Amino acid sequence: MSLIRVSVGTVLLSLLAGAAAQGITASQSLANFTQAGVAPNNTKVLILGGGMAGIIAARTLHEQGIDDFVVVDAKTEFGGRMIQKPFGVAGRQIVVEMGPSWIQGTQDGDGNANPVWELAQKHNLSVVESDLYGSVSFFDYTGPSNYSDTFTASIDAFTNATVVAGQRLRENKVDMDLRSAYSYLGMAPTTPQEEACQYYQVDFSPSQTSWLASANNNFTYVPESGGYSDVNMMSIDPRGIAWIVQAEAVDFLKTNQILYNQTVTSIHYDQNGVTVLTAGGYNLTAEHALVTFSVGVLQNTDVVFEPTLPDWKREAINSIEMAGYNKIFLQFNDTFWFDTEMGLYADLQRGRFPVWQSLDHPDFFPGSGVIFVTVTGDQSPYVEQMNTTQLQNEVMEVLRTMYPGAPDPVDIHIPTWGTNALYRGAYSNWGASFVPGHVENLGANVDNHLWFAGEATSLKYFGFLQGAYLEGQRVGKEIADCINHGSCSVAHEATISNAQPYPNSLQ
């Protein structure tokens, strides 16, 4: 290691300590040293995206003795879909999370630890345990309505559905969508209240969700199934949950390994290497490129691959859904709503502003006057196309059903994941066409030079932060093995076929 690198690294660590005290992000500290206009070329590895998967892949390469890499990010700080935002009127602002708020599953005793939880502890992220199932108030289209027994039954129904899904996986039985599974198991909801309770468990339309893939909840929340714990820790850190990635990056990254504010527009690849073009005019070359873009971006034409990706890769990319998940934040001068953490609203229309969370709770941001409501599935593109006035009117119609006479908010904000070209959705969700071979193909490399990783490539943890972490670690080891030992080939299935042939009558 050169004296220059030691010197810069020492300064960066000092900067980080000072930045933490001042509430400055780790990436902002790194950005102070980034040299503008210097295009890193002919590197071993280009890591495209500085979210959880990209930074953990970079760290893994570093641990394997490979430091000839550059992390390219479209933003000016690391974090990917972990995005924090100051929200509220002047003098009453708090930092809210546009993307993931929770570390889902921690550690049960001395059992398996969620690596994201370990990162949070390492970097002193301020968190508080959320009682998502024990601190809930209930409403429907008539106003306050106590259907807590229905809610408890819905928890048992979802648990049963995931247990049976695990059994079907082991027995190699076919998949179906979760709504059909509920009917098959005799648990189909028949009232708006039952629909709302099911929604709370599933997050989006069960008709869009694989029954077999729902068993991945067990790998996070059930220690007996190899999971971490049933605890959800919510970030209340003013630096944002992205701090755990930003601070981790400062531990090993040098400024000449970072290229911010560059949106990738095309990737040219062959058996000799890769060339990456950016909207800022950079032409970057490397032996390998790691793509950590969301599957939503890969499904769109925001990034052009030349040549076109092979059929087996494109089939895998398009076999998974990029789900919508929008938090609509509202701030009021006074707090007039439930004193529990959560509120559940059952409308005649399934999924219409159903799940509410008070951030003015004593454990979160007391006195903030902030509450938010979450919509998912088909409701996400619906709310994203509204202007602020339209959105406020629709949201307040529901809130005034819950609380007649509720005043207008003083501030409102919605993140638009689906229409944002950097994300094209919030997180991945497997539909009823779930086939393990598609997951393997999604994470497999192309021509031994173009690599892929992210939460969507995780068979056990898709949709979770730990999925992105573990996939970054996996692909980092694979690339290092390729560079250090020439073991570059990652198996993929050229054709995903049915377990049995179609009958002759259909051929």
Side-chain angles (χ1 to χ4, degrees):
M1 179 178 290
S2 70
L3 290 177
I4 292 177
R5 286 179 179 262
V6 172
S7 172
V8 171
T10 303
V11 172
L12 283 172
L13 290 175
S14 299
L15 255 184
L16 176 58
Q22 299 173 45
I24 301 172
T25 70
S27 285
Q28 287 171 327
S29 298
L30 285 171
N32 291 334
F33 277 85
T34 302
Q35 298 297 312
V38 178
N41 263 320
N42 302 315
T43 56
K44 284 286 186 185
V45 186
L46 287 171
I47 298 173
L48 308 180
M52 180 69 78
I55 296 305
I56 296 304
R59 189 193 69 186
T60 304
L61 288 174
H62 171 73
E63 292 168 344
Q64 298 292 317
I66 298 170
D67 286 302
D68 186 9
F69 61 80
V70 173
V71 182
V72 182
D73 199 275
K75 301 189 298 180
T76 56
E77 65 178 15
F78 293 141
R81 283 168 269 164
M82 293 178 282
I83 301 174
Q84 70 280 356
K85 174 183 172 59
F87 172 74
V89 296
R92 297 184 67 208
Q93 283 193 337
I94 63 171
V95 173
V96 296
E97 299 288 352
M98 302 294 99
S101 301
W102 290 275
I103 299 168
Q104 296 167 296
T106 53
Q107 184 177 21
D108 185 38
D110 59 356
N112 192 20
N114 185 336
V116 179
W117 173 237
E118 292 180 313
L119 270 189
Q121 292 177 301
K122 175 181 177 181
H123 297 298
N124 299 309
L125 188 75
S126 296
V127 295
V128 62
E129 183 174 348
S130 285
D131 189 2
L132 298 176
Y133 295 94
S135 182
V136 185
S137 297
F138 299 95
F139 307 84
D140 63 20
Y141 53 90
T142 67
S145 176
N146 185 5
Y147 47 93
S148 57
D149 289 346
T150 302
F151 184 74
T152 300
S154 76
I155 298 174
D156 294 338
F158 183 70
T159 300
N160 183 44
T162 60
V163 169
V164 177
Q167 293 171 350
R168 291 179 71 86
L169 273 172
R170 290 188 294 273
E171 295 169 2
N172 202 31
K173 292 185 176 179
V174 297
D175 196 10
M176 63 177 71
D177 67 66
L178 200 50
R179 173 170 291 174
S180 299
Y182 267 74
S183 295
Y184 167 72
L185 296 172
M187 306 184 305
T190 58
T191 67
Q193 294 79 8
E194 290 176 350
E195 289 273 13
C197 291
Q198 185 196 58
Y199 182 103
Y200 195 91
Q201 313 303 322
V202 180
D203 274 347
F204 29 71
S205 173
S207 64
Q208 299 172 314
T209 303
S210 160
W211 183 17
L212 296 187
S214 71
N216 84 323
N217 266 40
N218 300 334
F219 300 125
T220 286
Y221 291 117
V222 182
E224 295 79 9
S225 298
Y228 307 120
S229 75
D230 61 358
V231 173
N232 291 288
M233 301 299 288
M234 190 178 90
S235 172
I236 56 171
D237 200 301
R239 298 165 298 186
I241 197 170
W243 170 255
I244 60 177
V245 166
Q246 297 164 357
E248 188 70 8
V250 173
D251 277 357
F252 66 92
L253 275 182
K254 307 296 186 293
T255 54
N256 63 349
Q257 296 174 305
I258 303 167
L259 186 60
Y260 286 131
N261 203 29
Q262 292 299 318
T263 301
V264 173
T265 57
S266 67
I267 301 172
H268 305 250
Y269 69 95
D270 57 31
Q271 294 181 349
N272 297 313
V274 293
T275 300
V276 174
L277 303 182
T278 74
Y282 283 109
N283 187 319
L284 312 173
T285 58
E287 290 184 22
H288 303 272
L290 167 58
V291 177
T292 69
F293 308 142
S294 78
V295 73
V297 170
L298 297 177
Q299 289 170 347
N300 281 268
T301 57
D302 303 301
V303 180
V304 176
F305 289 88
E306 297 183 6
T308 301
L309 292 172
D311 289 349
W312 60 265
K313 174 64 78 171
R314 287 185 287 111
E315 180 179 322
I317 288 170
N318 289 285
S319 66
I320 191 169
E321 178 189 1
M322 194 66 180
Y325 192 104
N326 299 82
K327 304 172 185 176
I328 304 167
F329 297 91
L330 304 106
Q331 186 181 53
F332 296 86
N333 284 327
D334 299 299
T335 303
F336 54 84
W337 51 85
F338 47 86
D339 58 5
T340 54
E341 292 185 24
M342 309 297 296
L344 182 59
Y345 169 75
D347 194 78
L348 291 172
Q349 177 186 347
R350 179 191 172 90
R352 183 168 182 254
F353 306 114
V355 180
W356 296 75
Q357 182 173 7
S358 174
L359 295 183
D360 201 326
H361 189 273
D363 291 340
F364 303 148
F365 301 100
S368 65
V370 176
I371 188 172
F372 72 90
V373 59
T374 301
V375 297
T376 63
D378 293 337
Q379 288 293 312
S380 286
Y382 174 68
V383 298
E384 285 197 17
Q385 54 83 34
M386 293 183 186
N387 61 41
T388 302
T389 301
Q390 292 170 327
L391 178 63
Q392 178 173 311
N393 288 342
E394 291 226 9
V395 172
M396 289 308 301
E397 183 179 342
V398 168
L399 193 54
R400 287 179 178 132
T401 299
M402 298 162 64
Y403 292 98
D408 285 337
V410 295
D411 200 6
I412 183 171
H413 179 74
I414 177 174
T416 51
W417 295 105
T419 54
N420 190 317
L422 297 182
Y423 311 110
R424 299 298 188 191
Y427 62 103
S428 65
N429 176 52
W430 282 101
S433 61
F434 171 73
V435 178
H438 279 146
V439 187
E440 295 171 9
N441 284 358
L442 193 58
N445 74 47
V446 177
D447 282 352
N448 297 338
H449 290 277
L450 189 61
W451 307 74
F452 295 82
E455 49 87 8
T457 65
S458 174
L459 181 60
K460 294 173 67 173
Y461 302 105
F462 65 89
F464 289 96
L465 275 176
Q466 53 266 32
Y469 180 107
L470 293 168
E471 285 299 286
Q473 191 175 63
R474 168 194 64 81
V475 79
K477 291 178 180 177
E478 289 177 354
I479 296 172
D481 201 35
C482 176
I483 293 171
N484 291 333
H485 307 293
S487 302
C488 302
S489 181
V490 176
H492 70 270
E493 294 189 37
T495 303
I496 306 295
S497 303
N498 283 335
Q500 296 179 342
Y502 288 107
N504 292 332
S505 60
L506 294 179
Q507 297 181 24

